[in-house]
Amino acid sequence: MLEVIDKGGPTATRKTPLLFVHGAFHGAWCWDDHFLDYFADRGYHALALNLRGHGGSPSPAPINECGVFDYVQDVHTVAGRLPVAPVVIGHSMGGFVVQKYLAVHSAPAAVLVASAPPTGIAAATVRVACKNWRDSLSTRSFRRPLDFFAAPGVSRKTFYNPATPDEVVTACTARLGPESVRVLYRDLLYRRLARPKRVTTRMLVLGAELDGFFTPREVAATARAYRTEPVMFPAMGHNMMLEHGWEAVADRIDRWLGETLS
C-alpha cells in the first residue's frame, strides 16, 4: 500500500480533493510541512502520496529499476481511491509525473510547481553538474545520485535560494532519500518525454526566479507548451513549498483554484 498523508475533507465549497506529488529525492513530507495544513484549513481535502520506494511506500522492485510510468501508476492508484477526480499538483520531477499522468487520465485542473519541463531535464542536469563539478567527480552521482544531491553545498545551491536559513536547508536535506537512476538518467533525459498536445487539463505553471534546476526561460517554455502563461516568484529557489515565502505560492494556487473550479 502506498503511504499517503491525508488532511482535511471536502466541504460544500471545496468538493474537489487536491493530490500533491513530490519531486526527486523528496517525499510527501515536503508538502506536509506547510501546504497540506494550509489547504485543509481552507476547506480542501488535501493529500500527498509517497511514490513507490519513497518514505513509507514499498516498491516491488529496487528503486533504480522504477520508471516514470510506475510513478504515474502510483498517482493513478491514489486518485482512483477518491470519490471524485482530484486536482493534481506536482513539484519538480513530480510535475513531470503529473504531465505524463494527464496525457492518459483526466483531472479537473493541475498545477506545476518548479516542474521539470516536458522536453526533459538534460539541460538542467548538465547545468547542475557543471556548477558542482567537484562534488560530481567525488561522489557516485550516476549510481547513487542521492550522494551528489545531498552534499551540503549542492543541496543549497540546487534546491534553495541563497537567503534560505541554514536550519531550513539542513533539516530538509537530512530528509532526502534515494531516487531512481532509471527515472533521472533515462526517462527524464530522453526516453519518456512528455506530450503536451495530449493534455487538455487546465494548468497553472509556477516558477522560481532563483531555481537551481530550471531557468525562467524553461518555465516559460513549459507554460507555452500547455497554452498558458507562467507565474514567476522573485527571490525564490526550487523548493518553493519549503522556503520562506511559501505562503505566497500557496495563496496563488488557492486563488487560481477558486477561479478554475467554480
Side-chain angles (χ1 to χ4, degrees):
M1 294 291 291
L2 294 167
E3 182 179 39
V4 177
I5 301 176
D6 185 327
K7 294 190 175 181
T11 60
T13 57
R14 299 283 190 269
K15 297 179 181 179
T16 305
L18 310 180
L19 178 57
F20 293 85
V21 185
H22 64 80
F25 310 105
H26 291 63
W29 60 265
C30 73
W31 300 111
D32 191 32
D33 278 9
H34 304 298
F35 270 43
L36 294 187
D37 285 329
Y38 173 97
F39 285 99
D41 289 345
R42 281 155 181 77
Y44 286 100
H45 183 195
L47 311 94
L49 81 155
N50 275 311
L51 299 168
R52 65 184 66 191
H54 298 76
S57 290
S59 176
I63 192 167
N64 280 342
E65 296 178 14
C66 295
V68 71
F69 285 136
D70 294 318
Y71 293 168
V72 170
Q73 180 58 46
D74 292 343
V75 175
H76 178 56
T77 296
V78 176
R81 298 174 187 157
L82 299 172
V84 296
V87 173
V88 282
I89 302 171
H91 172 252
S92 195
M93 179 197 75
F96 191 90
V97 172
V98 164
Q99 294 171 59
K100 298 293 285 185
Y101 172 85
L102 293 174
V104 291
H105 301 289
S106 61
V111 183
L112 303 183
V113 182
S115 175
T119 51
I121 64 170
T125 300
V126 172
R127 278 196 304 271
V128 172
C130 290
K131 288 179 182 177
N132 304 278
W133 64 271
R134 286 189 176 85
D135 289 287
S136 183
L137 293 175
S138 63
T139 61
R140 294 173 291 177
S141 58
F142 287 99
R143 287 184 297 145
R144 286 177 49 88
L146 177 63
D147 291 355
F148 173 71
F149 283 99
V154 178
S155 178
R156 170 174 277 285
K157 285 187 286 185
T158 305
F159 295 121
Y160 302 95
N161 79 73
T164 303
D166 287 340
E167 57 267 26
V168 173
V169 176
T170 300
C172 292
T173 300
R175 291 186 284 178
L176 298 180
E179 190 50 72
S180 168
V181 170
R182 179 179 174 185
V183 169
L184 293 179
Y185 299 145
R186 192 190 76 163
D187 291 357
L188 269 67
L189 277 183
Y190 66 92
R191 186 70 179 272
R192 305 294 185 190
L193 302 185
R195 299 184 178 182
K197 291 183 179 179
R198 295 188 177 184
V199 177
T200 58
T201 301
R202 290 191 63 183
M203 193 96 70
L204 174 64
V205 177
L206 308 179
E209 179 190 30
L210 302 180
D211 192 331
F213 267 120
F214 307 117
T215 66
R217 179 176 292 184
E218 287 172 324
V219 175
T222 297
R224 192 161 54 247
Y226 291 103
R227 302 165 292 281
T228 189
E229 295 291 328
V231 179
M232 298 298 299
F233 287 81
M236 291 201 81
H238 186 67
N239 278 359
M240 302 170 68
M241 64 290 190
L242 292 168
E243 291 195 332
H244 290 176
W246 65 266
E247 297 96 332
V249 181
D251 287 344
R252 185 66 185 85
I253 295 172
D254 186 36
R255 290 197 305 273
W256 184 80
L257 290 175
E259 298 164 0
T260 303
L261 299 178
S262 60

